[in-house]
Amino acid sequence: MTTTSTDPGADATGHRARLRRRLAEGGPDALLDHELIEYLLALAIPRRDTKPMARALLAEFGGLGPLLSADPESLARAGLSEGVVAALKIAEASALRLLRSKVQDRPILSDWQALADYLRADMAHRAVERVRVLHLNSKNILIRDELVSEGSVDQAAVYVREIIRRALELGSAALIIVHNHPSGDPQPSRQDVDLTRELIAAAKPLGIAIHDHVVVGTRGQASLRALGLL
């Protein structure tokens, strides 16, 4: 005999329980992207079927990464409440915190993949260009990860002065420069190469090494050192 619930919330609750069991038993890969977002939304919007919203958001933003990386203003413009926006940003912050923990307190150059995973998660899906500097000590352990700019890198000389000044303040022995290309193409531009060479010229007399300049995009990452451009 089949029974039909007249309470739509009851069916949603049962569905969420099934998702919860699959996640507990199968681990992170047990749920599809839309199911992860669906369950996350359900925590902020109880007693509502959040599957249609999850699918719509993934379609609108272009996938899980772009959705979680979207700025709060963009999410609000999509019609999301403050609670839902907060849930998405908490998920992003937790993921980044986990990935960042894998590169802290250990020599970065000994586990480049962990660094690449962290940078991709944090920067690949950003809608604007970001420039950040990883400050390393003499053992190549990360001592500071700083966002230095959002937007264009046209004023290279300003960046060089500020980056070197900050490195001296922190006592950095080496730096890794990272920025993203919102276009998705990680191929370094001539401007990227020129900026890196200016940094090397300014840092070398001070005993500060420039280990690399990494360009991040949705289609991968490019290392100027690996490309022989340093």
Side-chain angles (χ1 to χ4, degrees):
M1 178 178 178
T2 302
T3 59
T4 303
S5 172
T6 58
D7 181 0
D11 181 65
T13 301
H15 176 58
R16 290 168 195 166
R18 290 190 291 274
L19 291 179
R20 186 166 59 248
R21 284 195 299 273
R22 283 170 51 199
L23 183 62
E25 295 171 2
D29 293 332
L31 300 184
L32 300 173
D33 286 357
H34 77 270
E35 291 174 325
L36 288 172
I37 297 301
E38 176 188 349
Y39 194 85
L40 184 62
L41 294 176
L43 299 177
I45 314 173
R47 300 186 66 78
R48 175 176 169 182
D49 180 7
T50 54
K51 182 187 293 185
M53 180 185 292
R55 290 184 179 276
L57 286 171
L58 288 170
E60 179 175 350
F61 285 89
L64 184 64
L67 174 60
L68 294 181
S69 299
D71 60 76
E73 292 76 16
S74 297
L75 295 171
R77 285 195 296 271
L80 302 183
S81 68
E82 288 186 2
V84 171
V85 171
L88 293 171
K89 301 317 292 180
I90 286 172
E92 180 199 25
S94 299
L96 292 177
R97 192 75 57 87
L98 174 62
L99 289 170
R100 189 168 60 207
S101 70
K102 296 180 179 180
V103 301
Q104 288 179 323
D105 302 322
R106 67 195 69 185
I108 277 186
L109 301 185
S110 67
D111 193 353
W112 190 260
Q113 187 57 52
L115 176 63
D117 290 342
Y118 166 53
L119 295 175
R120 177 176 173 80
D122 187 59
M123 302 184 75
H125 300 287
R126 300 293 176 181
V128 298
E129 190 168 280
R130 284 184 163 188
V131 180
R132 68 196 304 163
V133 179
L134 308 183
H135 293 264
L136 312 179
N137 65 15
S138 59
K139 295 182 179 180
N140 288 321
I141 293 175
L142 181 68
I143 58 175
R144 193 66 64 90
D145 171 7
E146 292 192 335
L147 178 67
V148 298
S149 178
E150 283 191 331
S152 171
V153 291
D154 289 339
Q155 298 179 25
V158 173
Y159 285 111
V160 169
R161 288 196 299 269
E162 290 302 309
I163 289 170
I164 297 301
R165 179 189 62 79
R166 186 60 172 153
L168 291 172
E169 287 179 351
L170 294 173
S172 307
L175 307 175
I176 297 176
I177 315 303
V178 188
H179 83 280
N180 64 306
H181 282 175
S183 67
D185 182 2
Q187 182 66 30
S189 67
R190 169 50 55 186
Q191 191 175 43
D192 297 336
V193 176
D194 290 344
L195 170 61
T196 309
R197 289 175 177 170
E198 286 187 45
L199 275 167
I200 292 172
K204 187 174 181 180
L206 301 172
I208 301 171
I210 306 298
H211 280 332
D212 208 343
H213 184 164
V214 180
V215 185
V216 181
T218 55
R219 297 199 290 275
Q221 297 181 10
S223 157
L224 270 68
R225 180 168 296 280
L227 292 172
L229 296 175
L230 296 192

